Amino acid sequence: MAAQHFDPSREWAIERDKQDELASFRSQFYLKEGAIYLDGNSLGLLSKKAEQSLLALLDSWKEHGINGWTEGDEPWFFLSERLGKKMAPLVGASPEEVIVTGSTTTNLHQVVATFYQPAGNRTKILADELNFPSDIYVLQSQLRLRGYDPQEHLVRVKSRDGRLIEEEDIIAAMTDEIALVVLPSVYYRSGQILDMRRLTQEAHQRGILIGFDCCHSVGAMPHEFAEWDVDFAVWCNYKYLNAGPGGVASLYINRKHFHRLPGLTGWFSSRKDKQFDMEHQLTPAEDAGAYQMGTPHLLSIAPLIGSLELFAEAGIDRLREKSLQLTRYMMDLIDHELQGMGFTIGNPLEDKRRGGHVYLEHDEAIRICKALKENGVTPDFRAPNGIRLAPVALYNSFEDVWNAVQILKKIMKEEQYKKFKNTREVVA
Ligand SMILES: *Cc1c(COP(=O)(O)O)cnc(C)c1O
């Protein structure tokens, strides 16, 4: 692909799409004619492969009834494990360390119930004040369940500027009162990447366990969980992984913890060959599979089968490379086209610290988002003043980015946003 020089013309965008070796994946997705979807960081689009694998699951039910658990092309009983194995290369894990189960929130409950082991002076959990609310609610309720007051026992690292969290500040907060650290890999607003390798090393040097919520990074960039020695990780599969609304989530457990009994067990925690012995003494699986609880939500897992095939074909390194080029291009265009219109780029500018989306701040962000939608561009709004724009490597083009910025420019020039109410919708 051409070197990263910048040219604001439409022709240049079209030329870059011609040179893009991942361009053909776009035709695998259901994109609306004339619309520009830039919200793959909230809900990835449906691909034909994901549709096919969902329909195939319905077929297996139609065809096999109860026998679908062990018969057919994708027997249900082992599907969570098989998909964990296919997911493993995306996160740098070995196959037994990943399981597809639960939701991000329930998986976080599970790992905190397992890895939060307050002892002696070490009774606190470390997170940060820009963390996703659900993650914070999990930590608060897990503390309450153990009889601790979250006000005192949940430590939240402060942001210096309301956008970013400095790694130095996190490390400084890793005191001998901290038992567990839970952080995002990429911040949902600013798109800042935390250096997971460094933070893991620093936590471990202090005898602290550490895990990450990777909802905003898996599928957008490579991870090396095993090499970094992260203790656990959770992520959802419906954002960059395009597994559909409410799609079943994923969980990584470092193999050095396989001897632990999960905090929350159920019959699907069993070793597969023991589960149907129906004993009252659980024999847990000897891998991440032990972190399952009940029957997998198969209809919500099925689209992931097809979706992961696309990731295997495209390769996560190539996807990350293109994603960086798209977000860089978007930022260059914003600088060039939207000068003096009140926008601030709120995400880190460096490739190393920037996730898969651009975070554009503006006092009129709510109304601008509404105007974008009316013009066929789907962004999302994040309170208080953020417009998230995610050009996704699998299905967005350079021309999409060019068009979106032109539409934004027109909205601002014509003050189109002024005709909308300055209130957030229920789902922003
Ligand atoms: C999307 C997201 C969630 C959502 O959790 P669900 O259980 O799927 O509702 C949680 N945490 C973070 C950081 C997210 O980005």
Side-chain angles (χ1 to χ4, degrees):
M1 191 165 272
Q4 193 86 31
H5 83 275
F6 169 70
D7 177 334
S9 72
R10 170 180 224 144
E11 292 65 41
W12 196 67
I14 292 170
E15 187 53 37
R16 295 204 63 177
D17 284 329
K18 277 190 195 145
Q19 292 172 19
D20 172 15
E21 53 186 30
L22 298 176
S24 63
F25 285 95
R26 184 176 169 91
S27 65
Q28 292 275 342
F29 286 84
Y30 288 100
L31 293 148
K32 283 259 181 272
E33 189 67 35
I36 303 171
Y37 193 80
L38 295 177
D39 207 4
N41 60 335
S42 273
L43 180 69
L45 290 179
L46 175 65
S47 64
K48 289 171 187 166
K49 288 208 187 244
E51 179 183 45
Q52 281 159 13
S53 59
L54 174 58
L55 293 175
L57 197 124
L58 282 175
D59 259 343
S60 72
W61 177 20
K62 201 186 285 177
E63 183 66 25
H64 302 290
I66 186 71
N67 297 323
W69 285 103
T70 50
E71 290 174 11
D73 292 340
E74 297 283 1
W76 311 330
F77 192 54
F78 306 99
L79 187 53
S80 306
E81 284 79 6
R82 274 203 310 281
L83 285 171
K85 196 177 286 185
K86 288 185 182 166
M87 182 83 74
L90 286 181
V91 294
S94 48
E96 329 76 74
E97 290 176 312
V98 182
I99 190 77
V100 172
T101 188
S103 69
T104 301
T105 304
T106 63
N107 287 344
L108 204 51
H109 270 294
Q110 170 66 296
V111 288
V112 177
T114 309
F115 292 95
Y116 173 53
Q117 299 288 347
N121 201 35
R122 278 194 198 279
T123 54
K124 297 186 178 176
I125 299 179
L126 182 63
D128 68 271
E129 67 169 6
L130 299 183
N131 224 299
F132 195 83
S134 200
D135 301 36
I136 295 296
Y137 303 159
V138 166
L139 300 177
Q140 289 168 335
S141 60
Q142 287 289 333
L143 284 165
R144 277 194 300 268
L145 283 169
R146 308 291 183 97
Y148 291 108
D149 178 1
Q151 288 286 1
E152 192 190 332
H153 287 266
L154 177 60
V155 179
R156 293 183 304 151
V157 177
K158 288 213 174 328
S159 166
R160 298 182 194 184
D161 62 358
R163 291 188 185 114
L164 311 178
I165 299 281
E166 298 304 322
E167 279 141 18
E168 286 75 20
D169 296 345
I170 298 171
I171 293 164
M174 292 178 179
T175 66
D176 58 8
E177 294 186 330
I178 303 295
L180 182 70
V181 181
V182 178
L183 294 166
S185 52
V186 167
Y187 283 90
Y188 73 97
R189 279 203 202 92
S190 69
Q192 175 198 354
I193 300 177
L194 287 179
D195 184 340
M196 288 178 266
R197 180 202 298 270
R198 176 181 177 201
L199 292 170
T200 301
Q201 216 169 34
E202 297 285 349
H204 287 172
Q205 275 172 15
R206 292 164 177 77
I208 303 171
L209 295 176
I210 183 166
F212 293 90
D213 181 328
C214 299
C215 280
H216 279 277
S217 58
V218 176
M221 64 192 70
H223 298 64
E224 295 296 343
F225 288 152
E227 194 190 315
W228 302 338
D229 203 27
V230 166
D231 293 295
F232 59 84
V234 298
W235 62 95
C236 62
N237 296 329
Y238 55 76
K239 290 174 180 162
Y240 289 102
L241 290 174
N242 312 317
V248 174
S250 297
L251 193 154
Y252 161 83
I253 303 293
N254 189 316
R255 62 184 321 116
K256 72 184 176 191
H257 296 303
F258 283 173
H259 65 280
R260 285 175 189 251
L261 183 64
L264 307 172
T265 52
W267 72 321
F268 270 78
S269 314
S270 298
R271 228 172 67 187
K272 294 306 239 193
D273 60 326
K274 293 288 292 176
Q275 182 169 339
F276 278 86
D277 290 352
M278 308 303 263
E279 292 166 354
H280 279 192
Q281 176 66 41
L282 169 68
T283 306
E286 287 149 0
D287 54 24
Y291 288 72
Q292 299 171 90
M293 288 182 259
T295 306
H297 302 178
L298 289 153
L299 295 176
S300 301
I301 286 184
L304 187 62
I305 303 170
S307 186
L308 285 181
E309 288 174 20
L310 295 178
F311 282 85
E313 284 171 35
I316 193 65
D317 292 317
R318 287 202 298 171
L319 288 169
R320 172 62 171 164
E321 182 58 31
K322 179 176 171 188
S323 162
L324 281 171
Q325 289 175 3
L326 286 168
T327 49
R328 165 69 53 207
Y329 178 53
M330 183 178 271
M331 295 189 298
D332 286 345
L333 280 174
I334 288 167
D335 281 343
H336 191 267
E337 302 287 324
L338 307 180
Q339 279 298 332
M341 294 181 175
F343 290 103
T344 307
I345 293 177
N347 53 275
L349 305 179
E350 317 91 286
D351 285 5
K352 249 184 70 174
R353 286 187 95 196
R354 183 171 89 248
H357 68 269
V358 169
Y359 189 65
L360 204 50
E361 297 171 349
H362 196 286
D363 293 342
E364 293 287 356
I366 294 184
R367 298 207 281 180
I368 295 169
C369 280
K370 289 180 183 176
L372 279 167
K373 284 191 178 177
E374 197 186 62
N375 282 275
V377 180
T378 306
D380 65 13
F381 168 73
R382 280 297 171 266
N385 64 342
I387 304 168
R388 284 195 309 195
L389 300 167
V392 170
L394 270 178
Y395 51 77
N396 284 123
S397 62
F398 288 87
E399 198 183 358
D400 279 347
V401 173
W402 191 88
N403 283 327
V405 174
Q406 289 304 317
I407 290 168
L408 195 49
K409 186 176 174 181
K410 189 160 181 279
I411 288 169
M412 300 313 291
K413 280 211 150 143
E414 296 176 2
E415 300 190 329
Q416 284 184 33
Y417 61 90
K418 289 196 170 163
K419 67 179 187 202
F420 296 95
K421 277 207 292 213
N422 193 18
T423 50
R424 171 175 73 69
E425 301 300 317
V426 175
V427 175

